Amino acid sequence: MGREHWKKIWIGSAGNMVEWYDWFVYASFATYFAGAFFPDGNPTARLMNSAGIFAVGFFMRPVGGWLLGRVGDRKGRKAALTLTVTLMSASAILIAIAPTYAVAGYGGALVLLVARLLQGLSVGGEYAASATYLTEASDPKRRGFASSFQYVSMTAGQIVGLGFQIVLQRTMSEGALHSYGWRTPFVLGALGAAVVFYLRRNMLETEVYEADETGGEERGTLRALWQHKREAFLVIALTMGGTVAYYTYTTYLTKYLSNSAGLSKQTATLVSFTALIVFACLQPLAGRLSDRIGRRPLLVTFAVGSTFLTVPIMTMLKHASGFWPALGLSLVALVVVTGYTSINACVKAELFPTGIRALGVALPYAIANALFGGTAEYIALWFKNAGAESGFFWYVAGCAAVSLVVYVTMRETRDLDLTRMKTSEPSTVTTAS
C-alpha cells in the first residue's frame, strides 16, 4: 500500500477517533455525571435516565445518515467528513458547559439532550463517510485491511476516553469527579475536533469518487437508494447482531462490571481499557484475513460465537471476582466480536455503487443502530431494574442469531469492482446462489 493511501487512511482514521471519543466518553463518564442532571434517587434509575439520553442520540443518527450521506454522495467524501467533525465539536462544548440540576433544574438535562442530538447527527454521517472513504481509498486487494482501521480508530477513541478516566480517577477525589471533573474530557474532545477539522480541510478526495460520472441528479437521493432497497435491508439485518454485541462489550461493559458484578469503578474501567487495547490490535489482522479468505467466514464465525457464547460469558462476568477473570472473559467476547467489527465497514460499502454508496451505508446502518445499538444499554438496565438481568443476555444472543441467517445466505463481496457498479442498476450481491 503506497504512501498516499496510508495518508488518506491516517486522516480518515484520526477524525473518526475524535468523533467516537466524544461519542463514547458520554457513556464512560455517565456514572459520574448522572447525578448532576437528575434528582436524587435510585442509582440504577439515574443511569437509566442518562442511558435514555444516550439512546436518543442514536435516533438522530438516521437523520444524520440521510443528510450527511447525501452530502457525501453529491459533494464528496471530504465535504461530509469535514461537516461531521464540526457538529461533533459543537456538541462536546455544550456538554462541557451544561448547567447541573442544582443550578437549572431539568434545564441542564435539556442542554445535554440537545448535545446528544447534535452528536447523533454527526455520527450518523461519520460512520458511512469514513467507511466509504477508507474502502474507496485503499488498494482493491486490501479493502478489508484498510477499512478495519475504522474500528481501530473508533476503539482508539474509546481507549483515550477510558485512559483519561483512569488518570482522573487516580488524580482526583471521588467528590471532585462527580462535581466538575467529568467535564474535562468533553473540553479535550472539542479541542481534538478543532485539530481534525484542519486536517480534513486539506485531505484528498478518493479517486473512485472523482472518476465516477454515473447517477447525475440521482446521486445521494432516496429515489436512487430505493433502487437498491434489497441491499439497504441487508445492511440493517447484518448490522443488527453486530451492533448489539459491540455496544454490550464496550460502552456497557464498564457499568455492568461495577453495577452488576460489584467491581470497583476503577477496576471495571481498567478491565475495559486493557481489553479494548487488545481489541484494537486485532482489527487489522482480521481485516487482512478477510482479504485472503473472504468476508463471509469472519461474519459467520462472529454470529455463531455470539449466539452460543453470550449467555455463558455474561453470566460468568457477573460473578467475576477481580481484574483477571473479568479481563479474560471480556477478551473472549471481543475476539468473537472482531469477526464483525473488522470488516463490516467494507462489506456495507461493497454493496453499493459510488453514486449512492455513502447514503446506502449511512441510512440503513443508522436505522439499525437506532433500533438495536443505541437501545442496548437501556434494555440491559431495564432488565436489571426488573430483576431479570439474564433476559438481556438472551436478547443479545437472539439478535446475533438473526444476523447469522443473513451472513449464511448473502454472497461474498470481497472481489467486487467498485468502479463498475452503476448507481441506476441494483447490484446482485444480496443472496447466495
Side-chain angles (χ1 to χ4, degrees), residues 39-388:
D40 293 337
N42 185 300
T44 301
R46 278 182 167 184
L47 283 176
M48 288 182 69
N49 285 329
S50 59
I53 293 180
F54 182 75
V56 165
F58 278 84
F59 285 97
M60 284 301 290
R61 287 174 67 163
V63 180
W66 168 58
L67 289 174
L68 295 169
R70 181 180 173 88
V71 170
D73 285 327
R74 297 183 73 87
K75 303 297 183 181
R77 319 311 188 201
K78 173 182 173 180
L81 287 168
T82 303
L83 182 55
T84 60
V85 78
T86 303
L87 293 173
M88 186 60 76
S89 179
S91 66
I93 293 172
L94 280 178
I95 297 176
I97 65 174
T100 64
Y101 181 82
V103 173
Y106 283 106
L110 181 61
V111 173
L112 193 65
L113 177 63
V114 171
R116 288 299 293 174
L117 294 177
L118 286 177
Q119 283 189 337
L121 280 174
S122 175
V123 176
E126 169 67 25
Y127 174 87
S130 60
T132 301
Y133 188 87
L134 289 172
T135 301
E136 291 181 348
S138 62
D139 184 313
K141 295 182 179 180
R142 291 183 172 234
R143 289 200 299 252
F145 174 76
S147 65
S148 72
F149 282 89
Q150 183 177 50
Y151 267 82
V152 172
S153 57
M154 285 174 62
T155 306
Q158 190 172 1
I159 289 171
V160 172
L162 286 172
F164 195 35
Q165 185 174 12
I166 291 172
V167 171
L168 292 179
Q169 288 172 341
R170 297 292 190 275
T171 59
M172 299 181 72
S173 67
E174 189 81 0
L177 272 172
H178 283 275
S179 176
Y180 65 88
W182 60 266
R183 296 182 185 273
T184 54
F186 296 102
V187 175
L188 180 64
L191 294 174
V195 173
V196 172
F197 177 80
Y198 172 77
L199 291 175
R200 285 187 167 178
R201 284 192 64 188
N202 295 281
M203 72 193 300
L204 300 174
E205 188 57 83
T206 69
E207 295 177 4
V208 173
Y209 179 83
E210 291 183 329
D212 182 68
E213 299 179 352
T214 65
E217 290 302 313
E218 294 289 300
R219 296 178 71 95
T221 64
L222 293 175
R223 185 183 301 107
L225 179 60
W226 186 249
Q227 295 176 7
H228 301 269
K229 56 184 176 294
R230 295 181 68 188
E231 289 76 18
F233 284 113
L234 179 61
V235 169
I236 293 175
L238 68 86
T239 301
M240 178 181 177
T243 191
V244 171
Y246 177 73
Y247 281 100
T248 297
Y249 294 119
T250 55
T251 59
Y252 180 60
L253 181 64
T254 305
K255 297 185 190 66
Y256 180 69
L257 291 175
S258 61
N259 204 28
S260 295
L263 300 181
S264 67
K265 289 179 181 177
Q266 290 84 353
T267 300
T269 302
L270 189 58
V271 168
S272 294
F273 179 77
T274 307
L276 287 172
I277 290 176
V278 177
F279 178 67
C281 294
L282 290 174
Q283 304 309 299
L285 299 177
R288 190 69 185 105
L289 180 62
S290 79
D291 288 327
R292 294 178 178 274
I293 68 173
R295 322 297 189 212
R296 287 178 65 234
L298 271 71
L299 291 172
V300 170
T301 299
F302 151 71
V304 171
S306 190
T307 299
F308 294 103
L309 295 179
T310 294
V311 174
I313 288 176
M314 293 296 287
T315 301
M316 287 188 286
L317 272 174
K318 187 174 182 179
H319 298 94
S321 57
F323 173 81
W324 290 109
L327 177 62
L329 290 166
S330 300
L331 287 176
V332 172
L334 288 173
V335 167
V336 171
V337 175
T338 294
Y340 166 80
T341 55
S342 61
I343 58 170
N344 82 95
C346 68
V347 169
K348 293 162 190 171
E350 288 167 345
L351 293 173
F352 298 95
T354 304
I356 196 64
R357 186 168 293 129
L359 181 61
V361 175
L363 186 56
Y365 173 79
I367 290 172
N369 267 275
L371 295 175
F372 303 106
T375 58
E377 182 179 331
Y378 193 84
I379 291 173
L381 292 169
W382 182 87
F383 272 111
K384 177 177 174 58
N385 213 36

